[in-house]
Amino acid sequence: MSSIAIERPVTGTVRDRHVSDFKELTKRVQEAGLLKRSYTYYWSKIIGLTFGGLALATAFVLIGNSWWQMALAVGLALLMTQVAFLGHDAAHRQIFVSGKWNEWISLILINLFVGMGHGWWQRKHTKHHQVPNKVGADPDIGGRVLAFTPEGYASRKNPLTRWLATQQGRFFFPLLLLEGVNLHVQGIKGVLSRGKVKRRWVELSFIAFRLGSYFALVFIILPPGKAAAFIGIQLAVFGLYMGSSFAPNHIGMPLVPPTAKIDFLRRQVLMSRNITGGRAVDTFMGGLNFQVEHHLFPSMSRPNLRKVAPIVRAHCEALGVKYTETTLMQSYRVVIAYLNRVGRGGLDVWACPLAAQYRV
């Protein structure tokens, strides 16, 4: 992850030009009709995933005390990740015009179906969208376990944590096996926090019902050993899938120093990475493979992201703004190499190959 080491003076003329850059793009997108909702797509997703969950629950009861249930645990993890992607879309108001409809669908999907914390995640994710990869501001690069920035590496004071940082690229994917547990724990901590939490009791009731009924069913059908294995596999695969889908989006892309001033279009495009591939990649990543377009138009319906990508790419090329896209496997190699580089103290925040380009 290189960094944009600039503090670009913003005059009225420059600001007007940069604002018009995004306005012009938005006008093209509106004229193409790509800001319209995709109700058929989303209702089919909601209904299909709901029936998929019911089918898995029925199969779980019918299979009973068997190690074949471990395969079902993997299937449940994959299904829950797809539901989480759908909850992400609702939280971004991609599904309905009505803000309330989006909010309630997101609460149902994230809290009731997945058992995660909606409010905690949305606050964190909204901040990330406002300042992607900005040092000291983007919560996604302020992790305590992994060092995503030189500041994060410097904060490791004792020899053990310093050594672990040097190996963090190797540990990244194994650590994702614990991310499912972490997401649930952070969600519960968020809804129980002392600060103001919108719809606290709704979230708490949904999460308690989801997790309580899930654990009860698993331990009723399976003996303790198999039940623990089922839950462990489900959470591990869920965490790995979630992390593998979000990691390629920004890790290894330019960092933004706290003092940098960057206009909206460049802030979103330069710090985001698209993943190439066909419809299978769209489904696997829940539309997150079009990260550039998602950051520019966060409320755009998922099916329209593939359609708008050529417009955005051409617009960026005309402006001379670097538009990054790569394969999924290549993005993982970049992520691992970047984390190793940061963990070994090899990243210079102020040396950025894009800085000169951005000044121009």
Side-chain angles (χ1 to χ4, degrees), residues 25 28-29 32 34 274 277 279 282 290 292-293 296-297 300 303-318 323 325:
L25 175 62
R28 293 180 184 177
V29 173
L34 296 176
N274 276 11
R279 302 287 180 179
D282 296 0
F290 292 105
V292 172
E293 289 71 24
L296 288 172
F297 304 100
M300 177 177 286
N304 291 337
L305 294 174
R306 174 171 287 276
K307 299 174 184 176
V308 80
I311 299 174
V312 173
R313 187 187 303 110
H315 188 73
C316 289
E317 289 175 356
Y323 180 97
E325 53 185 345

PDB file of all heavy atoms in Angstrom, residues 25 28-29 32 34 274 277 279 282 290 292-293 296-297 300 303-318 323 325:
ATOM      1  N   LEU A  25     -19.695  12.933 -14.470  1.00  0.00           N
ATOM      2  CA  LEU A  25     -19.858  11.483 -14.415  1.00  0.00           C
ATOM      3  C   LEU A  25     -21.257  11.120 -13.934  1.00  0.00           C
ATOM      4  O   LEU A  25     -21.909  10.236 -14.505  1.00  0.00           O
ATOM      5  CB  LEU A  25     -18.808  10.879 -13.484  1.00  0.00           C
ATOM      6  CG  LEU A  25     -18.922   9.367 -13.224  1.00  0.00           C
ATOM      7  CD1 LEU A  25     -18.764   8.580 -14.523  1.00  0.00           C
ATOM      8  CD2 LEU A  25     -17.879   8.926 -12.197  1.00  0.00           C
ATOM      9  N   ARG A  28     -23.850  11.465 -16.647  1.00  0.00           N
ATOM     10  CA  ARG A  28     -23.817  10.360 -17.617  1.00  0.00           C
ATOM     11  C   ARG A  28     -24.506   9.117 -17.052  1.00  0.00           C
ATOM     12  O   ARG A  28     -25.239   8.425 -17.760  1.00  0.00           O
ATOM     13  CB  ARG A  28     -22.369  10.027 -17.979  1.00  0.00           C
ATOM     14  CG  ARG A  28     -21.641  11.100 -18.754  1.00  0.00           C
ATOM     15  CD  ARG A  28     -20.221  10.664 -19.050  1.00  0.00           C
ATOM     16  NE  ARG A  28     -19.454  11.706 -19.710  1.00  0.00           N
ATOM     17  CZ  ARG A  28     -18.165  11.608 -20.026  1.00  0.00           C
ATOM     18  NH1 ARG A  28     -17.519  10.486 -19.754  1.00  0.00           N
ATOM     19  NH2 ARG A  28     -17.537  12.605 -20.608  1.00  0.00           N
ATOM     20  N   VAL A  29     -24.248   8.864 -15.795  1.00  0.00           N
ATOM     21  CA  VAL A  29     -24.834   7.684 -15.156  1.00  0.00           C
ATOM     22  C   VAL A  29     -26.352   7.823 -15.049  1.00  0.00           C
ATOM     23  O   VAL A  29     -27.098   6.871 -15.296  1.00  0.00           O
ATOM     24  CB  VAL A  29     -24.202   7.476 -13.759  1.00  0.00           C
ATOM     25  CG1 VAL A  29     -24.918   6.374 -12.999  1.00  0.00           C
ATOM     26  CG2 VAL A  29     -22.723   7.150 -13.902  1.00  0.00           C
ATOM     27  N   ALA A  32     -27.991   7.291 -18.338  1.00  0.00           N
ATOM     28  CA  ALA A  32     -27.994   5.876 -18.717  1.00  0.00           C
ATOM     29  C   ALA A  32     -29.022   5.080 -17.923  1.00  0.00           C
ATOM     30  O   ALA A  32     -29.218   3.882 -18.183  1.00  0.00           O
ATOM     31  CB  ALA A  32     -26.598   5.278 -18.505  1.00  0.00           C
ATOM     32  N   LEU A  34     -28.929   4.251 -14.731  1.00  0.00           N
ATOM     33  CA  LEU A  34     -28.289   3.254 -13.864  1.00  0.00           C
ATOM     34  C   LEU A  34     -28.431   3.553 -12.370  1.00  0.00           C
ATOM     35  O   LEU A  34     -27.844   2.852 -11.543  1.00  0.00           O
ATOM     36  CB  LEU A  34     -26.803   3.134 -14.236  1.00  0.00           C
ATOM     37  CG  LEU A  34     -26.542   2.603 -15.646  1.00  0.00           C
ATOM     38  CD1 LEU A  34     -25.059   2.600 -15.966  1.00  0.00           C
ATOM     39  CD2 LEU A  34     -27.128   1.207 -15.818  1.00  0.00           C
ATOM     40  N   ASN A 274     -10.768  -2.766  -8.145  1.00  0.00           N
ATOM     41  CA  ASN A 274     -11.780  -3.660  -8.710  1.00  0.00           C
ATOM     42  C   ASN A 274     -11.188  -5.045  -8.972  1.00  0.00           C
ATOM     43  O   ASN A 274      -9.991  -5.175  -9.218  1.00  0.00           O
ATOM     44  CB  ASN A 274     -12.328  -3.105 -10.019  1.00  0.00           C
ATOM     45  CG  ASN A 274     -13.435  -2.094  -9.803  1.00  0.00           C
ATOM     46  OD1 ASN A 274     -13.681  -1.642  -8.688  1.00  0.00           O
ATOM     47  ND2 ASN A 274     -14.107  -1.719 -10.887  1.00  0.00           N
ATOM     48  N   GLY A 277     -13.503 -10.348 -13.693  1.00  0.00           N
ATOM     49  CA  GLY A 277     -14.137 -11.669 -13.746  1.00  0.00           C
ATOM     50  C   GLY A 277     -15.572 -11.544 -14.222  1.00  0.00           C
ATOM     51  O   GLY A 277     -16.096 -10.447 -14.420  1.00  0.00           O
ATOM     52  N   ARG A 279     -19.801 -13.162 -14.133  1.00  0.00           N
ATOM     53  CA  ARG A 279     -20.920 -13.154 -13.188  1.00  0.00           C
ATOM     54  C   ARG A 279     -20.633 -13.994 -11.951  1.00  0.00           C
ATOM     55  O   ARG A 279     -21.137 -13.694 -10.871  1.00  0.00           O
ATOM     56  CB  ARG A 279     -22.183 -13.679 -13.880  1.00  0.00           C
ATOM     57  CG  ARG A 279     -22.592 -12.885 -15.115  1.00  0.00           C
ATOM     58  CD  ARG A 279     -23.165 -11.545 -14.758  1.00  0.00           C
ATOM     59  NE  ARG A 279     -23.550 -10.783 -15.943  1.00  0.00           N
ATOM     60  CZ  ARG A 279     -24.106  -9.568 -15.912  1.00  0.00           C
ATOM     61  NH1 ARG A 279     -24.343  -9.006 -14.737  1.00  0.00           N
ATOM     62  NH2 ARG A 279     -24.420  -8.949 -17.034  1.00  0.00           N
ATOM     63  N   ASP A 282     -19.044 -11.819  -9.534  1.00  0.00           N
ATOM     64  CA  ASP A 282     -20.058 -10.910  -8.974  1.00  0.00           C
ATOM     65  C   ASP A 282     -20.799 -11.580  -7.830  1.00  0.00           C
ATOM     66  O   ASP A 282     -21.014 -10.984  -6.769  1.00  0.00           O
ATOM     67  CB  ASP A 282     -21.075 -10.512 -10.054  1.00  0.00           C
ATOM     68  CG  ASP A 282     -20.457  -9.707 -11.188  1.00  0.00           C
ATOM     69  OD1 ASP A 282     -19.239  -9.450 -11.139  1.00  0.00           O
ATOM     70  OD2 ASP A 282     -21.191  -9.343 -12.123  1.00  0.00           O
ATOM     71  N   PHE A 290     -16.777  -4.664  -7.734  1.00  0.00           N
ATOM     72  CA  PHE A 290     -16.841  -3.341  -8.370  1.00  0.00           C
ATOM     73  C   PHE A 290     -16.724  -2.270  -7.282  1.00  0.00           C
ATOM     74  O   PHE A 290     -17.612  -1.449  -7.084  1.00  0.00           O
ATOM     75  CB  PHE A 290     -18.147  -3.190  -9.153  1.00  0.00           C
ATOM     76  CG  PHE A 290     -18.224  -4.082 -10.353  1.00  0.00           C
ATOM     77  CD1 PHE A 290     -19.022  -5.211 -10.334  1.00  0.00           C
ATOM     78  CD2 PHE A 290     -17.480  -3.810 -11.491  1.00  0.00           C
ATOM     79  CE1 PHE A 290     -19.089  -6.055 -11.432  1.00  0.00           C
ATOM     80  CE2 PHE A 290     -17.544  -4.646 -12.600  1.00  0.00           C
ATOM     81  CZ  PHE A 290     -18.351  -5.775 -12.570  1.00  0.00           C
ATOM     82  N   VAL A 292     -14.693   0.346  -6.952  1.00  0.00           N
ATOM     83  CA  VAL A 292     -14.587   1.739  -7.411  1.00  0.00           C
ATOM     84  C   VAL A 292     -15.975   2.322  -7.620  1.00  0.00           C
ATOM     85  O   VAL A 292     -16.307   3.396  -7.102  1.00  0.00           O
ATOM     86  CB  VAL A 292     -13.763   1.821  -8.718  1.00  0.00           C
ATOM     87  CG1 VAL A 292     -13.830   3.237  -9.288  1.00  0.00           C
ATOM     88  CG2 VAL A 292     -12.322   1.404  -8.473  1.00  0.00           C
ATOM     89  N   GLU A 293     -16.796   1.601  -8.371  1.00  0.00           N
ATOM     90  CA  GLU A 293     -18.144   2.090  -8.662  1.00  0.00           C
ATOM     91  C   GLU A 293     -18.996   2.148  -7.393  1.00  0.00           C
ATOM     92  O   GLU A 293     -19.795   3.076  -7.216  1.00  0.00           O
ATOM     93  CB  GLU A 293     -18.807   1.177  -9.694  1.00  0.00           C
ATOM     94  CG  GLU A 293     -18.229   1.289 -11.099  1.00  0.00           C
ATOM     95  CD  GLU A 293     -16.835   0.691 -11.247  1.00  0.00           C
ATOM     96  OE1 GLU A 293     -16.475  -0.204 -10.442  1.00  0.00           O
ATOM     97  OE2 GLU A 293     -16.101   1.118 -12.153  1.00  0.00           O
ATOM     98  N   LEU A 296     -18.095   5.276  -5.483  1.00  0.00           N
ATOM     99  CA  LEU A 296     -18.580   6.492  -6.149  1.00  0.00           C
ATOM    100  C   LEU A 296     -20.093   6.623  -6.033  1.00  0.00           C
ATOM    101  O   LEU A 296     -20.618   7.726  -5.840  1.00  0.00           O
ATOM    102  CB  LEU A 296     -18.181   6.471  -7.624  1.00  0.00           C
ATOM    103  CG  LEU A 296     -16.704   6.695  -7.934  1.00  0.00           C
ATOM    104  CD1 LEU A 296     -16.439   6.440  -9.411  1.00  0.00           C
ATOM    105  CD2 LEU A 296     -16.269   8.108  -7.551  1.00  0.00           C
ATOM    106  N   PHE A 297     -20.799   5.505  -6.143  1.00  0.00           N
ATOM    107  CA  PHE A 297     -22.267   5.497  -6.095  1.00  0.00           C
ATOM    108  C   PHE A 297     -22.728   4.433  -5.102  1.00  0.00           C
ATOM    109  O   PHE A 297     -23.227   3.371  -5.491  1.00  0.00           O
ATOM    110  CB  PHE A 297     -22.838   5.221  -7.486  1.00  0.00           C
ATOM    111  CG  PHE A 297     -22.361   6.176  -8.550  1.00  0.00           C
ATOM    112  CD1 PHE A 297     -21.354   5.812  -9.428  1.00  0.00           C
ATOM    113  CD2 PHE A 297     -22.905   7.450  -8.655  1.00  0.00           C
ATOM    114  CE1 PHE A 297     -20.896   6.694 -10.400  1.00  0.00           C
ATOM    115  CE2 PHE A 297     -22.456   8.343  -9.620  1.00  0.00           C
ATOM    116  CZ  PHE A 297     -21.449   7.962 -10.500  1.00  0.00           C
ATOM    117  N   MET A 300     -26.147   2.721  -5.429  1.00  0.00           N
ATOM    118  CA  MET A 300     -26.486   2.091  -6.713  1.00  0.00           C
ATOM    119  C   MET A 300     -26.784   0.610  -6.509  1.00  0.00           C
ATOM    120  O   MET A 300     -26.049  -0.097  -5.817  1.00  0.00           O
ATOM    121  CB  MET A 300     -25.339   2.259  -7.717  1.00  0.00           C
ATOM    122  CG  MET A 300     -25.592   1.576  -9.052  1.00  0.00           C
ATOM    123  SD  MET A 300     -24.267   1.856 -10.253  1.00  0.00           S
ATOM    124  CE  MET A 300     -24.590   3.567 -10.693  1.00  0.00           C
ATOM    125  N   PRO A 303     -26.856  -4.933  -9.395  1.00  0.00           N
ATOM    126  CA  PRO A 303     -26.788  -5.349 -10.803  1.00  0.00           C
ATOM    127  C   PRO A 303     -26.294  -4.256 -11.742  1.00  0.00           C
ATOM    128  O   PRO A 303     -25.814  -4.556 -12.837  1.00  0.00           O
ATOM    129  CB  PRO A 303     -28.248  -5.721 -11.123  1.00  0.00           C
ATOM    130  CG  PRO A 303     -28.885  -5.990  -9.806  1.00  0.00           C
ATOM    131  CD  PRO A 303     -28.222  -5.057  -8.845  1.00  0.00           C
ATOM    132  N   ASN A 304     -26.419  -3.003 -11.335  1.00  0.00           N
ATOM    133  CA  ASN A 304     -26.012  -1.897 -12.210  1.00  0.00           C
ATOM    134  C   ASN A 304     -24.520  -1.588 -12.132  1.00  0.00           C
ATOM    135  O   ASN A 304     -23.999  -0.824 -12.962  1.00  0.00           O
ATOM    136  CB  ASN A 304     -26.807  -0.632 -11.879  1.00  0.00           C
ATOM    137  CG  ASN A 304     -28.261  -0.757 -12.262  1.00  0.00           C
ATOM    138  OD1 ASN A 304     -28.620  -1.570 -13.123  1.00  0.00           O
ATOM    139  ND2 ASN A 304     -29.126   0.024 -11.638  1.00  0.00           N
ATOM    140  N   LEU A 305     -23.826  -2.151 -11.151  1.00  0.00           N
ATOM    141  CA  LEU A 305     -22.402  -1.850 -10.994  1.00  0.00           C
ATOM    142  C   LEU A 305     -21.598  -2.333 -12.202  1.00  0.00           C
ATOM    143  O   LEU A 305     -20.703  -1.637 -12.679  1.00  0.00           O
ATOM    144  CB  LEU A 305     -21.864  -2.489  -9.711  1.00  0.00           C
ATOM    145  CG  LEU A 305     -22.433  -1.926  -8.408  1.00  0.00           C
ATOM    146  CD1 LEU A 305     -21.943  -2.750  -7.212  1.00  0.00           C
ATOM    147  CD2 LEU A 305     -22.041  -0.460  -8.228  1.00  0.00           C
ATOM    148  N   ARG A 306     -21.910  -3.524 -12.700  1.00  0.00           N
ATOM    149  CA  ARG A 306     -21.210  -4.037 -13.881  1.00  0.00           C
ATOM    150  C   ARG A 306     -21.506  -3.167 -15.098  1.00  0.00           C
ATOM    151  O   ARG A 306     -20.621  -2.953 -15.947  1.00  0.00           O
ATOM    152  CB  ARG A 306     -21.608  -5.492 -14.147  1.00  0.00           C
ATOM    153  CG  ARG A 306     -21.053  -6.074 -15.428  1.00  0.00           C
ATOM    154  CD  ARG A 306     -21.299  -7.574 -15.534  1.00  0.00           C
ATOM    155  NE  ARG A 306     -20.421  -8.307 -14.623  1.00  0.00           N
ATOM    156  CZ  ARG A 306     -19.170  -8.646 -14.907  1.00  0.00           C
ATOM    157  NH1 ARG A 306     -18.639  -8.293 -16.074  1.00  0.00           N
ATOM    158  NH2 ARG A 306     -18.454  -9.320 -14.042  1.00  0.00           N
ATOM    159  N   LYS A 307     -22.723  -2.649 -15.192  1.00  0.00           N
ATOM    160  CA  LYS A 307     -23.102  -1.824 -16.343  1.00  0.00           C
ATOM    161  C   LYS A 307     -22.437  -0.452 -16.317  1.00  0.00           C
ATOM    162  O   LYS A 307     -22.113   0.108 -17.363  1.00  0.00           O
ATOM    163  CB  LYS A 307     -24.626  -1.654 -16.371  1.00  0.00           C
ATOM    164  CG  LYS A 307     -25.395  -2.957 -16.506  1.00  0.00           C
ATOM    165  CD  LYS A 307     -26.890  -2.722 -16.377  1.00  0.00           C
ATOM    166  CE  LYS A 307     -27.682  -4.031 -16.412  1.00  0.00           C
ATOM    167  NZ  LYS A 307     -29.132  -3.800 -16.197  1.00  0.00           N
ATOM    168  N   VAL A 308     -22.231   0.091 -15.113  1.00  0.00           N
ATOM    169  CA  VAL A 308     -21.672   1.434 -15.013  1.00  0.00           C
ATOM    170  C   VAL A 308     -20.151   1.429 -15.092  1.00  0.00           C
ATOM    171  O   VAL A 308     -19.532   2.462 -15.380  1.00  0.00           O
ATOM    172  CB  VAL A 308     -22.135   2.122 -13.697  1.00  0.00           C
ATOM    173  CG1 VAL A 308     -21.310   1.660 -12.500  1.00  0.00           C
ATOM    174  CG2 VAL A 308     -22.073   3.646 -13.827  1.00  0.00           C
ATOM    175  N   ALA A 309     -19.526   0.278 -14.861  1.00  0.00           N
ATOM    176  CA  ALA A 309     -18.067   0.204 -14.817  1.00  0.00           C
ATOM    177  C   ALA A 309     -17.392   0.758 -16.081  1.00  0.00           C
ATOM    178  O   ALA A 309     -16.418   1.520 -15.969  1.00  0.00           O
ATOM    179  CB  ALA A 309     -17.618  -1.227 -14.546  1.00  0.00           C
ATOM    180  N   PRO A 310     -17.841   0.408 -17.299  1.00  0.00           N
ATOM    181  CA  PRO A 310     -17.178   0.967 -18.490  1.00  0.00           C
ATOM    182  C   PRO A 310     -17.266   2.489 -18.559  1.00  0.00           C
ATOM    183  O   PRO A 310     -16.333   3.145 -19.038  1.00  0.00           O
ATOM    184  CB  PRO A 310     -17.944   0.314 -19.652  1.00  0.00           C
ATOM    185  CG  PRO A 310     -18.552  -0.923 -19.071  1.00  0.00           C
ATOM    186  CD  PRO A 310     -18.886  -0.573 -17.665  1.00  0.00           C
ATOM    187  N   ILE A 311     -18.377   3.056 -18.081  1.00  0.00           N
ATOM    188  CA  ILE A 311     -18.532   4.513 -18.081  1.00  0.00           C
ATOM    189  C   ILE A 311     -17.536   5.143 -17.120  1.00  0.00           C
ATOM    190  O   ILE A 311     -16.877   6.141 -17.443  1.00  0.00           O
ATOM    191  CB  ILE A 311     -19.979   4.901 -17.691  1.00  0.00           C
ATOM    192  CG1 ILE A 311     -20.976   4.324 -18.699  1.00  0.00           C
ATOM    193  CG2 ILE A 311     -20.121   6.411 -17.585  1.00  0.00           C
ATOM    194  CD1 ILE A 311     -22.430   4.539 -18.305  1.00  0.00           C
ATOM    195  N   VAL A 312     -17.413   4.574 -15.936  1.00  0.00           N
ATOM    196  CA  VAL A 312     -16.492   5.105 -14.933  1.00  0.00           C
ATOM    197  C   VAL A 312     -15.047   4.951 -15.404  1.00  0.00           C
ATOM    198  O   VAL A 312     -14.232   5.876 -15.280  1.00  0.00           O
ATOM    199  CB  VAL A 312     -16.680   4.379 -13.582  1.00  0.00           C
ATOM    200  CG1 VAL A 312     -15.618   4.809 -12.577  1.00  0.00           C
ATOM    201  CG2 VAL A 312     -18.067   4.654 -13.021  1.00  0.00           C
ATOM    202  N   ARG A 313     -14.726   3.787 -15.970  1.00  0.00           N
ATOM    203  CA  ARG A 313     -13.359   3.543 -16.447  1.00  0.00           C
ATOM    204  C   ARG A 313     -12.968   4.560 -17.517  1.00  0.00           C
ATOM    205  O   ARG A 313     -11.875   5.147 -17.461  1.00  0.00           O
ATOM    206  CB  ARG A 313     -13.245   2.124 -16.989  1.00  0.00           C
ATOM    207  CG  ARG A 313     -11.813   1.723 -17.359  1.00  0.00           C
ATOM    208  CD  ARG A 313     -11.770   0.355 -18.046  1.00  0.00           C
ATOM    209  NE  ARG A 313     -12.348  -0.686 -17.237  1.00  0.00           N
ATOM    210  CZ  ARG A 313     -13.493  -1.307 -17.508  1.00  0.00           C
ATOM    211  NH1 ARG A 313     -14.209  -0.944 -18.581  1.00  0.00           N
ATOM    212  NH2 ARG A 313     -13.942  -2.267 -16.727  1.00  0.00           N
ATOM    213  N   ALA A 314     -13.848   4.779 -18.470  1.00  0.00           N
ATOM    214  CA  ALA A 314     -13.559   5.728 -19.550  1.00  0.00           C
ATOM    215  C   ALA A 314     -13.425   7.145 -19.010  1.00  0.00           C
ATOM    216  O   ALA A 314     -12.557   7.916 -19.452  1.00  0.00           O
ATOM    217  CB  ALA A 314     -14.667   5.659 -20.603  1.00  0.00           C
ATOM    218  N   HIS A 315     -14.263   7.503 -18.057  1.00  0.00           N
ATOM    219  CA  HIS A 315     -14.209   8.842 -17.461  1.00  0.00           C
ATOM    220  C   HIS A 315     -12.879   9.051 -16.742  1.00  0.00           C
ATOM    221  O   HIS A 315     -12.253  10.114 -16.866  1.00  0.00           O
ATOM    222  CB  HIS A 315     -15.387   9.023 -16.499  1.00  0.00           C
ATOM    223  CG  HIS A 315     -15.544  10.410 -15.980  1.00  0.00           C
ATOM    224  ND1 HIS A 315     -16.010  11.449 -16.754  1.00  0.00           N
ATOM    225  CD2 HIS A 315     -15.295  10.942 -14.745  1.00  0.00           C
ATOM    226  CE1 HIS A 315     -16.043  12.554 -16.030  1.00  0.00           C
ATOM    227  NE2 HIS A 315     -15.620  12.275 -14.811  1.00  0.00           N
ATOM    228  N   CYS A 316     -12.443   8.048 -15.995  1.00  0.00           N
ATOM    229  CA  CYS A 316     -11.175   8.152 -15.263  1.00  0.00           C
ATOM    230  C   CYS A 316      -9.999   8.241 -16.233  1.00  0.00           C
ATOM    231  O   CYS A 316      -9.054   9.015 -16.011  1.00  0.00           O
ATOM    232  CB  CYS A 316     -11.004   6.957 -14.333  1.00  0.00           C
ATOM    233  SG  CYS A 316     -12.122   6.967 -12.918  1.00  0.00           S
ATOM    234  N   GLU A 317     -10.045   7.459 -17.291  1.00  0.00           N
ATOM    235  CA  GLU A 317      -8.971   7.510 -18.291  1.00  0.00           C
ATOM    236  C   GLU A 317      -8.884   8.890 -18.933  1.00  0.00           C
ATOM    237  O   GLU A 317      -7.789   9.410 -19.163  1.00  0.00           O
ATOM    238  CB  GLU A 317      -9.198   6.442 -19.356  1.00  0.00           C
ATOM    239  CG  GLU A 317      -8.957   5.015 -18.853  1.00  0.00           C
ATOM    240  CD  GLU A 317      -9.308   3.957 -19.886  1.00  0.00           C
ATOM    241  OE1 GLU A 317      -9.819   4.335 -20.969  1.00  0.00           O
ATOM    242  OE2 GLU A 317      -9.078   2.761 -19.607  1.00  0.00           O
ATOM    243  N   ALA A 318     -10.038   9.500 -19.204  1.00  0.00           N
ATOM    244  CA  ALA A 318     -10.057  10.836 -19.809  1.00  0.00           C
ATOM    245  C   ALA A 318      -9.471  11.882 -18.862  1.00  0.00           C
ATOM    246  O   ALA A 318      -8.838  12.848 -19.297  1.00  0.00           O
ATOM    247  CB  ALA A 318     -11.490  11.216 -20.187  1.00  0.00           C
ATOM    248  N   TYR A 323      -7.240   3.991 -12.587  1.00  0.00           N
ATOM    249  CA  TYR A 323      -8.364   3.093 -12.310  1.00  0.00           C
ATOM    250  C   TYR A 323      -7.779   1.693 -12.181  1.00  0.00           C
ATOM    251  O   TYR A 323      -7.273   1.128 -13.138  1.00  0.00           O
ATOM    252  CB  TYR A 323      -9.367   3.183 -13.462  1.00  0.00           C
ATOM    253  CG  TYR A 323     -10.602   2.331 -13.351  1.00  0.00           C
ATOM    254  CD1 TYR A 323     -11.795   2.864 -12.869  1.00  0.00           C
ATOM    255  CD2 TYR A 323     -10.600   1.004 -13.773  1.00  0.00           C
ATOM    256  CE1 TYR A 323     -12.957   2.092 -12.811  1.00  0.00           C
ATOM    257  CE2 TYR A 323     -11.749   0.236 -13.716  1.00  0.00           C
ATOM    258  CZ  TYR A 323     -12.921   0.777 -13.239  1.00  0.00           C
ATOM    259  OH  TYR A 323     -14.061   0.012 -13.181  1.00  0.00           O
ATOM    260  N   GLU A 325      -7.717  -2.327 -11.492  1.00  0.00           N
ATOM    261  CA  GLU A 325      -8.465  -3.581 -11.503  1.00  0.00           C
ATOM    262  C   GLU A 325      -7.487  -4.727 -11.745  1.00  0.00           C
ATOM    263  O   GLU A 325      -6.511  -4.583 -12.470  1.00  0.00           O
ATOM    264  CB  GLU A 325      -9.582  -3.573 -12.556  1.00  0.00           C
ATOM    265  CG  GLU A 325      -9.148  -3.210 -13.952  1.00  0.00           C
ATOM    266  CD  GLU A 325     -10.327  -3.102 -14.917  1.00  0.00           C
ATOM    267  OE1 GLU A 325     -11.417  -3.585 -14.571  1.00  0.00           O
ATOM    268  OE2 GLU A 325     -10.136  -2.556 -16.018  1.00  0.00           O
TER     269      GLU A 325
END
